[in-house]
Amino acid sequence: MPAAVLRYLACLSLLVSGPALAQPANRQTPGYTRVAIETSVGTIIVAADNRRAPVTSNNFLTYVDDGRFDGVTFYRAARRKSDPKLGLIQGGIDTDARRSLPPIRHESTMQTGIRHLDATLSMARPNRANSAMGNFFITVGPTPNMDARGDYIGYAAFGHVVAGMDVVKKILAVPTCCGEGPMRGQMIVKPITIIRAKRLDGAPHPTRGVKPWLIGLNRKR
């Protein structure tokens, strides 16, 4: 095949595949909803992928819109032994049942096509399917072992960090201790407060009814 034709096909391939592989930027983008996670050490902005992971994204946004993440923490920093600058940080409601919503259906990475690459936003869960609620993690460096394969369901990746990875890395580097099982030694000694999480795109859709974690919060002492 002539060299000119090969060059043309290569350029055509880039034009077709480029947009599909591009990650969202820190601006309003169709199909994504950005959320600013304001912490005690800086702000992280994530973009939830509503098109490819609608169930997981909507769940996360409901926690945001309800204020269920306001005042919780990043409580885990899991650093790789081979390279402590890589790993993941985990935050959310932890075990606070007052803030929890019902568990959601698991959206596998094989279903969504969202892989655990650097700066991926994903749902933490117990060791069973359809159990994720209000805890999430952010990767630092590719983490392919979190992707589904064979009979392993993996974790539900549903977005990416679009600003503030310096804050994520700062949290990953804080002192840790304690923990049990796979989290042994990974609990943050002084958990990083999530002051608030706020939707940046679109109108909020909070749930109705009583917010149990707010009862008595503003009561005068």
Side-chain angles (χ1 to χ4, degrees):
M1 185 177 293
V5 175
L6 289 173
R7 285 195 297 271
Y8 171 78
L9 291 175
C11 291
L12 182 62
S13 174
L14 287 173
L15 288 172
V16 172
S17 62
L21 295 175
Q23 303 297 351
N26 186 18
R27 60 175 180 270
Q28 190 164 9
T29 306
Y32 294 91
T33 301
R34 289 174 302 155
V35 169
I37 304 172
E38 182 184 345
T39 81
S40 55
V41 295
T43 298
I44 305 164
I45 301 179
V46 298
D49 193 329
N50 303 95
R51 288 181 178 173
R52 293 191 291 173
V55 173
T56 314
S57 294
N58 288 338
N59 175 72
F60 180 79
L61 291 171
T62 301
Y63 276 88
V64 170
D65 293 343
D66 273 358
R68 293 172 189 265
F69 289 145
D70 298 355
V72 300
T73 63
F74 279 104
Y75 51 84
R76 181 188 181 197
R79 295 180 286 270
R80 292 187 197 173
K81 293 182 179 179
S82 59
D83 187 348
K85 293 182 179 180
L86 303 178
L88 63 86
I89 63 171
Q90 183 171 316
I93 67 171
D94 199 0
T95 58
D96 189 350
R98 298 172 304 164
R99 295 176 182 259
S100 66
L101 292 168
I104 58 171
R105 175 174 59 82
H106 180 67
E107 290 181 307
S108 164
T109 54
M110 291 192 292
Q111 173 189 344
T112 64
I114 307 172
R115 304 298 179 185
H116 287 86
L117 306 175
D118 182 42
T120 297
L121 174 66
S122 188
M123 290 302 295
R125 59 168 176 78
N127 191 25
R128 59 183 183 275
N130 306 321
S131 60
M133 290 190 291
N135 292 292
F136 59 91
F137 63 89
I138 298 171
T139 61
V140 180
T143 315
N145 60 304
M146 299 288 189
D147 293 338
R149 58 188 181 278
D151 295 331
Y152 175 60
I153 65 171
Y155 292 81
F158 67 100
H160 301 85
V161 175
V162 295
M165 272 303 289
D166 58 324
V167 178
V168 175
K169 292 174 182 178
K170 185 184 297 185
I171 296 172
L172 182 65
V174 300
T176 57
C177 72
C178 314
E180 298 179 353
M183 294 187 184
R184 185 175 179 83
Q186 298 176 358
M187 298 296 101
I188 296 175
V189 174
K190 296 182 179 179
I192 305 300
T193 301
I194 296 176
I195 299 168
R196 68 171 181 167
K198 181 181 179 180
R199 178 197 287 253
L200 299 181
D201 302 316
H205 297 286
T207 59
R208 297 180 180 180
V210 177
K211 304 294 190 292
W213 68 95
L214 297 178
I215 296 175
L217 190 64
N218 297 319
R219 184 179 300 166
K220 292 182 180 180
R221 296 181 183 275

